[in-house]
Amino acid sequence: MRLSFLGRSETPPSPTTTSEEEDLAPLNCSILVVDSLFQAGTYHITPYGSPQPSPIKEEYKNVFESGVKTDNHSGLGVSQLLQNLLETYNQVTTFTTGNAAMCSLHEKPGHAGYVILLIDLDNYSQPDVRMSPESDHGIGILDQAARGPHALYGMELLKVVVKEMELGVISNVVPIVVSCNDSPQLMWSCLDLGAADYLVKPVSAQAIKTLWLNTPRGNRSIPWREGKKNVASKSTLEPAERREITPTLNEMLSRSAWMDTIRKRLLSWEFCPHSLSDDDLIRCILIIFEDSLAMEGLKNIQLSTDMMHRFILYVRNSYNDSNPYHNFHHAIDVLQATYYMLKKLGLMGGPSPSSPHSRAVQKFMRPNDVFALIVASLTHDIGHPGVNNTYMINTQNTLALVYNDEAVLENFHAMFLFKMMKEYEIELFPHPSSQEAKDFRKLVINTILATDMTAHFEHIRKISEQNKRLNSQETQGLDLDLERVVFSTAIIKCADISNSARPFSISSKWADSLMHEFSNQARLEASKGHPLIINPHQTEKEWAQSQIDFIKRMSLPLFETVTQGALELADFLHSIHENTVEWERVRDGCTVETDDAKDNPLQQQVPMYWPK
């Protein structure tokens, strides 16, 4: 989850009550470790508190009776690592070769829950493997493999695991690499191969406690949904299946009457993605992309219909539906908000703008820039793990280490997008080194990075300064690259928190989803002793007050600043004020007595309610 998030689940995006099974998620995971330093066996906590091999005879332990191993794990002894693992997980099974681990995975029932597979990259020494006289299950093959040149270790084992997951041979397996090497290049190489995470030794106790969060990554072999084929439901696409994408999506577009209905919804500020099916959400993207690619003046963009369809499906499958808020519905919501605003400002058709600011914007925002803004809006939260930057930093997540605690998730989303495009050969420009390709990449990255809410007021300041420049109607001498980035920042930031300006019936649904996601994170934080993002047991009055605080301190300053220049968007302010009144009614109508907002630290810490 920390470095890659391609898995999907069928969990609805709307808020649901967390079950007891969800609260006990770590106990539903089993841990397999492949490291030649370990003594093979299944370990559990003894009554005396120390990890010991299970008294239950298992063929893997019997076969791989390695001798006494060096108790050295790059600063963290093997026994201490086992101890830390067993503090969170019921038992840990260790193997000295990947061959034995694969044999275990092949025999695992499909309903047996998730398996977290820790693959060590550093210890490649051949273990002293002996055939157990008690074993008659053909393990001699494993014995030969362990001794011979085909023993599986490290990266080769990772390749085999990922390939068998893609083929459906094994499922619900989460491969995680462990190494002393902290090279970012090696980290990305492992992710490219399909690792769910990369842990740097010595592995901290906090990192061990959060290993189970990677479990959604184990769904690589999700089949087509039962019944009607849903083009958005497959996690990976084989070459033969790719050829079927265009006819399938073209069939969607052939429903002209329904497409007209979807188009009308896209042109309305009362748009609500929760009321649409998965296929309808795909239709929304198709319509907006087709409108974008129909703009006159696009330069050197070679996005064929087949490539566009593949790109859309890859993006869709990279959002995690188990996130109550940061899921595919949120991506479509932000995309539609951007599309709506661009239409209002005359950048994608529609009436010519009336304000000097917007007329100036039309002069420097080229069609390629508009398309970059559309792509950034769709993908700005791609691969989101369902926790925020603070959580990533507090748990010393590998991503936080890679990005030095700066805009951790936003940097990840931008990287994820372009790595995905490279991996699946989504080549928008015939020459990647062309100026158009460089400008596109730069604008997409800067636009996604702008969604980091820790820089919220700095962005508002830059937008305000741009308003002064553009309202002066003096466009000579402007740094056009800077103006494009600032304008794109203004649009995506408004789109990202647009639920504050939607009709209250829609806005409140998004607030509930966000509350659910924050509550999930708060429970994780409480279990690990970290500061809580919110009180997971908030009253309705407290939650309503938090929404009022967020609107007044975060949303309203942004929309006021943007609409001082883009007068065509001034109606948003009316909706924001109406929503504030509605939330005040919810707060005041609640019969539960709580402290006043000014005396309640929960209600003063507005940053904890930021979507990111």
Side-chain angles (χ1 to χ4, degrees):
M1 177 183 290
R2 302 189 189 106
L3 290 177
S4 180
F5 214 98
L6 292 174
R8 297 183 52 227
S9 76
E10 299 300 322
T11 306
S14 56
T16 56
T17 303
T18 302
S19 65
E20 182 179 355
E21 287 74 20
E22 289 173 322
D23 292 335
L24 299 176
L27 302 182
N28 294 329
C29 301
S30 57
I31 304 291
L32 301 188
V33 182
V34 179
D35 187 336
S36 65
L37 289 185
F38 282 83
Q39 177 179 336
T42 296
Y43 292 79
H44 67 288
I45 289 290
T46 69
Y48 304 100
S50 60
Q52 296 293 335
S54 170
I56 301 175
K57 289 186 178 181
E58 298 185 8
E59 60 184 64
Y60 312 109
K61 174 175 180 275
N62 292 336
V63 174
F64 297 98
E65 292 179 334
S66 53
V68 177
K69 300 296 180 183
T70 303
D71 193 23
N72 179 3
H73 213 252
S74 302
L76 181 63
V78 168
S79 60
Q80 184 60 55
L81 178 61
L82 283 173
Q83 183 80 39
N84 290 344
L85 285 167
L86 288 167
E87 285 179 0
T88 303
Y89 309 95
N90 281 335
Q91 66 178 33
V92 178
T93 303
T94 61
F95 301 97
T96 54
T97 70
N99 305 74
M102 292 307 298
C103 180
S104 174
L105 292 175
H106 290 160
E107 296 183 357
K108 180 183 76 73
H111 60 276
Y114 286 98
V115 173
I116 297 175
L117 178 64
L118 300 181
I119 302 173
D120 187 89
L121 289 190
D122 304 326
N123 303 315
Y124 278 65
S125 59
Q126 293 286 349
D128 179 17
V129 181
R130 297 186 298 274
M131 186 68 176
S132 168
E134 300 181 58
S135 175
D136 57 356
H137 298 286
I139 307 300
I141 298 176
L142 292 179
D143 178 57
Q144 286 183 338
R147 292 176 180 275
H150 301 297
L152 291 174
Y153 292 103
M155 302 280 269
E156 292 304 314
L157 172 59
L158 175 61
K159 293 177 184 178
V160 171
V161 170
V162 172
K163 186 62 177 178
E164 293 204 1
M165 289 167 65
E166 291 176 343
L167 294 174
V169 177
I170 58 178
S171 62
N172 294 340
V173 178
V174 185
I176 296 177
V177 170
V178 185
S179 175
C180 296
N181 194 328
D182 62 357
S183 165
Q185 290 77 14
L186 178 59
M187 293 181 184
W188 298 135
S189 296
C190 292
L191 296 179
D192 281 341
L193 290 176
D197 203 349
Y198 187 106
L199 302 180
V200 179
K201 299 176 187 175
V203 182
S204 70
Q206 290 296 340
I208 289 173
K209 289 180 180 179
T210 57
L211 287 177
W212 66 273
L213 291 174
N214 290 281
T215 52
R217 184 68 175 90
N219 287 331
R220 293 179 68 99
S221 60
I222 295 175
W224 293 94
R225 290 178 182 171
E226 294 181 1
K228 177 183 177 293
K229 273 191 177 182
N230 186 313
V231 299
S233 64
K234 195 149 186 220
S235 59
T236 57
L237 296 172
E238 299 299 327
E241 294 167 337
R242 294 178 187 176
R243 292 193 292 270
E244 299 177 357
I245 292 175
T246 297
T248 305
L249 293 188
N250 282 341
E251 182 181 350
M252 281 188 177
L253 291 172
S254 67
R255 297 178 58 190
S256 57
W258 183 239
M259 291 297 287
D260 289 342
T261 301
I262 297 295
R263 186 179 295 277
K264 290 178 181 178
R265 292 193 184 187
L266 288 171
L267 296 175
S268 169
W269 192 241
E270 297 182 2
F271 177 82
C272 181
H274 292 114
S275 64
L276 298 175
S277 69
D278 220 36
D279 284 351
D280 286 341
L281 297 178
I282 296 293
R283 291 185 178 98
C284 290
I285 306 175
L286 289 169
I287 290 171
I288 294 175
F289 268 50
E290 289 199 336
D291 283 3
S292 304
L293 296 173
M295 292 185 294
E296 294 184 4
L298 280 176
K299 290 186 177 180
N300 294 329
I301 292 182
Q302 57 172 18
L303 188 60
S304 66
T305 300
D306 176 71
M307 188 184 297
M308 177 178 67
H309 292 174
R310 286 193 289 116
F311 175 74
I312 291 172
L313 293 185
Y314 291 138
V315 169
R316 192 272 168 270
N317 291 329
S318 298
Y319 274 94
N320 178 25
D321 286 349
S322 65
N323 294 340
Y325 184 86
H326 289 103
N327 50 42
F328 190 55
H329 288 75
H330 172 65
I332 300 301
D333 185 61
V334 174
L335 174 65
Q336 186 273 341
T338 296
Y339 178 69
Y340 181 90
M341 287 185 278
L342 292 175
K343 284 281 191 180
K344 292 277 284 187
L345 297 174
L347 289 169
M348 291 186 68
S352 299
S354 56
S355 65
H357 172 282
S358 299
R359 288 197 296 270
V361 168
Q362 283 193 326
K363 294 180 180 179
F364 63 73
M365 282 297 287
R366 303 161 297 188
N368 282 37
D369 304 323
V370 173
F371 183 60
L373 181 51
I374 289 293
V375 171
S377 298
L378 174 64
T379 61
H380 76 286
D381 274 332
I382 191 169
H384 199 289
V387 292
N388 67 3
N389 283 335
T390 300
Y391 184 89
M392 305 291 278
I393 294 168
N394 286 345
T395 57
Q396 300 179 22
N397 187 276
T398 309
L399 277 179
L401 300 178
V402 169
Y403 296 119
N404 299 313
D405 297 346
E406 295 292 332
V408 176
L409 288 173
E410 293 73 26
N411 274 295
F412 168 62
H413 300 319
M415 177 280 299
F416 192 117
L417 168 63
F418 286 100
K419 292 285 285 185
M420 180 197 71
M421 292 175 66
K422 180 178 180 181
E423 179 179 354
Y424 293 112
E425 300 178 351
I426 308 296
E427 300 171 351
L428 301 182
F429 297 89
H431 304 291
S433 60
S434 66
Q435 191 60 48
E436 290 85 359
K438 292 178 180 178
D439 289 347
F440 176 87
R441 173 175 162 80
K442 177 182 177 181
L443 189 57
V444 169
I445 291 175
N446 279 283
T447 302
I448 293 176
L449 292 180
T451 61
D452 176 19
M453 292 297 286
T454 60
H456 185 69
F457 294 103
E458 176 63 18
H459 287 306
I460 290 178
R461 182 188 64 79
K462 293 179 180 179
I463 296 168
S464 178
E465 292 175 352
Q466 183 180 71
N467 288 342
K468 297 175 183 177
R469 293 192 297 270
L470 300 187
N471 286 335
S472 69
Q473 303 186 43
E474 180 56 55
T475 58
Q476 296 297 324
L478 293 177
D479 182 343
L480 299 184
D481 285 340
L482 172 64
E483 304 301 342
R484 291 173 187 126
V485 170
V486 175
F487 172 77
S488 299
T489 292
I491 295 298
I492 199 167
K493 286 188 67 62
C494 288
D496 197 24
I497 58 174
S498 61
N499 50 77
S500 298
R502 301 279 191 182
F504 186 75
S505 60
I506 298 173
S507 178
S508 59
K509 290 180 181 179
W510 285 114
D512 288 343
S513 297
L514 185 60
M515 172 62 170
H516 183 51
E517 186 164 300
F518 280 169
S519 296
N520 289 346
Q521 178 173 327
R523 280 187 283 271
L524 289 175
E525 290 166 332
S527 69
K528 293 162 181 55
H530 295 308
L532 303 188
I533 185 174
I534 63 167
N535 175 5
H537 306 295
Q538 272 189 337
T539 64
E540 184 179 8
K541 182 174 183 177
E542 289 174 327
W543 179 240
Q545 183 61 51
S546 74
Q547 293 301 303
I548 296 169
D549 290 341
F550 181 82
I551 290 174
K552 290 184 175 180
R553 302 182 195 181
M554 310 299 292
S555 299
L556 191 57
L558 172 64
F559 280 91
E560 284 181 337
T561 303
V562 170
T563 55
Q564 285 170 4
L567 301 178
E568 296 81 2
L569 306 180
D571 289 346
F572 294 158
L573 293 177
H574 178 68
S575 297
I576 290 175
H577 288 301
E578 282 190 337
N579 287 338
T580 304
V581 172
E582 291 297 328
W583 282 116
E584 288 172 345
R585 289 175 180 170
V586 173
R587 178 199 62 191
D588 298 338
C590 185
T591 58
V592 178
E593 293 293 330
T594 60
D595 294 334
D596 189 75
K598 62 184 177 60
D599 299 322
N600 190 334
L602 264 178
Q603 298 169 16
Q604 293 179 12
Q605 299 174 15
V606 175
M608 68 185 178
Y609 298 105
W610 295 349
K612 298 295 272 292

